[in-house]
Amino acid sequence: MKVRVLIAAFIVLAVFSFAGLLSDPANRLRLELDYESGFTGVIFHTIQFGQSGTVFNYVKDGGQDVLFPFERFTASVGIDRHTVHFLYQPLTVQTKVKLKSDLLVDDVLFPAGTGMVLNYGFPFYRLSYTYDVLRKGDSYLALGLSLQIRNADIYFESLDGTKFVANKNVGPVPVIKVKGELWFNDRFYVATDIDGFYASSRFFNGADFDFEGSVLDASLRGGLKLTNYLEAYLNLRFIGGTAKGVSNNSDSPDGFTDNRLATINVSIGFQLK
C-alpha cells in the first residue's frame, strides 16, 4: 500500500513540472491523471461453483460485512473532442472466517466450523475511447466504448491447509461508456462516469461459450478546481456485475459458475491536468 502511494506521488510530482504547458488553452493535447482513495462496502455478493455446489453468501457468511480499502488509477490523453482513457482498478477482498454451515465448492466439502481463508480477487484493466458529442466551455457529454480485461483469482482454503479450491479466469469484456461534466462556475462542478453492459451471447461477452454476464461501473462526483491544473473531488461509485454459465475452460469439474456482486465505494480523488 505504501509503495503504491509513493509511486503515485512520484508520478504526480514528475508531471507537475509540465502542468503549466499542458493546461495551456492553446495546446490541443490534453493529459489527465486521476488517483482515488477511500473505502468499499459490499452490498450483495453470492457465488456458486458447480451446479450442486453451495450458493455462498460472502456478506452474511464470508466476512464481507465490513469496509475494505479502495484505490483507483486513471490516465487520459485527448485531442479536440477525442479522448483515450486507461484505467487500473484493484479489487481484491480477503477475509478469514469460521464456517457457520457446510460449504460445497465444486466437489470439495468444507464442513461447518472449518476456519477459512476466502480470497475474492477481481481486479480489472480498461481501455476506453470517448467522443464529446456536446461541449460548452468546460462542460461536456461524451459517448464511447471500452474494452475491459477481467483478471479473476478466487479461492477457498481451510486454515489448516488440507483443503483448497481455486478458480482463475482472464478474459476481455466489451463495455459501453458515458462520461460528462457540468460546471456551475469556474470552480465547482459535478461529473458522472458510467461503464456498463449486459450480454448473454458468446460473441458479446468475450467468451468462447454461451455465458450470461453484466457489468456496471457508475460514479457521481462533486469537484473543486484548486488551480489551473489540479482538481479535488468526492466520489460515490457503484461497481457490480454478474456472471452465470458453463465454461469448458473453468477450473470447476462441471464448469458451472454463478457470481453476483454489488459494491458501493466512497473516495476522495485528485486530478492533475
Side-chain angles (χ1 to χ4, degrees):
M1 174 67 175
K2 292 182 179 180
V3 173
R4 284 183 293 185
V5 171
L6 289 174
I7 292 174
F10 176 80
I11 293 174
V12 169
L13 290 174
V15 179
F16 196 85
S17 60
F18 299 98
L21 175 63
L22 293 172
S23 62
D24 185 350
N27 189 353
R28 296 173 60 200
L29 182 66
R30 302 184 309 276
L31 171 65
E32 297 176 353
L33 299 177
D34 281 71
Y35 173 71
E36 298 177 42
S37 181
F39 62 83
T40 295
V42 182
I43 304 171
F44 178 81
H45 192 189
T46 62
I47 202 164
Q48 179 185 6
F49 289 121
Q51 297 191 44
S52 60
T54 303
V55 179
F56 186 69
N57 189 320
Y58 275 108
V59 178
K60 181 181 177 182
D61 302 315
Q64 291 188 1
D65 53 349
V66 294
L67 301 178
F68 300 93
F70 173 83
E71 284 185 297
R72 192 174 176 99
F73 304 85
T74 309
S76 302
V77 177
I79 182 168
D80 297 330
R81 294 192 172 195
H82 306 272
T83 309
V84 175
H85 315 264
F86 179 76
L87 163 73
Y88 170 56
Q89 173 64 76
L91 184 59
T92 298
V93 175
Q94 187 174 103
T95 56
K96 294 182 179 180
V97 298
K98 180 181 288 187
L99 293 178
K100 300 175 183 178
S101 57
D102 291 352
L103 170 62
L104 182 63
V105 183
D106 293 332
D107 55 357
V108 178
L109 178 65
F110 298 90
T114 302
M116 300 286 296
V117 176
L118 305 173
N119 188 85
Y120 185 82
F122 213 93
F124 53 85
Y125 305 84
R126 185 187 298 149
L127 182 66
S128 306
Y129 164 78
T130 58
Y131 177 79
D132 297 350
V133 294
L134 295 173
R135 178 171 281 278
K136 183 177 181 181
D138 290 328
S139 300
Y140 68 89
L141 174 65
L143 304 178
L145 296 173
S146 300
L147 180 65
Q148 181 167 303
I149 305 298
R150 61 179 182 270
N151 186 29
D153 181 12
I154 304 167
Y155 65 77
F156 300 78
E157 181 180 11
S158 61
L159 284 176
D160 61 11
T162 60
K163 294 184 178 182
F164 178 83
V165 180
N167 192 290
K168 301 175 184 290
N169 182 268
V170 176
V173 180
V175 183
I176 297 172
K177 187 175 186 67
V178 179
K179 184 176 174 64
E181 291 184 4
L182 176 62
W183 285 77
F184 298 106
N185 49 44
D186 60 356
R187 294 292 301 278
F188 300 98
Y189 69 93
V190 294
T192 188
D193 190 357
I194 303 171
D195 289 86
F197 200 69
Y198 168 81
S200 58
S201 164
R202 70 182 66 188
F203 178 78
F204 290 105
N205 62 20
D208 57 0
F209 51 89
D210 287 326
F211 204 87
E212 178 184 345
S214 64
V215 172
L216 180 60
D217 181 350
S219 75
L220 179 65
R221 71 172 59 170
L224 171 66
K225 185 176 183 179
L226 302 177
T227 70
N228 287 337
Y229 46 82
L230 182 63
E231 298 169 8
Y233 54 85
L234 177 66
N235 204 29
L236 178 66
R237 181 181 302 276
F238 174 90
I239 297 177
T242 63
K244 182 179 181 181
V246 177
S247 168
N248 294 327
N249 302 322
S250 172
D251 295 332
S252 173
D254 65 10
F256 179 79
T257 299
D258 189 353
N259 186 9
R260 303 171 186 273
L261 171 68
T263 69
I264 287 291
N265 309 273
V266 178
S267 61
I268 294 175
F270 297 91
Q271 182 179 91
L272 182 65
K273 295 185 172 182

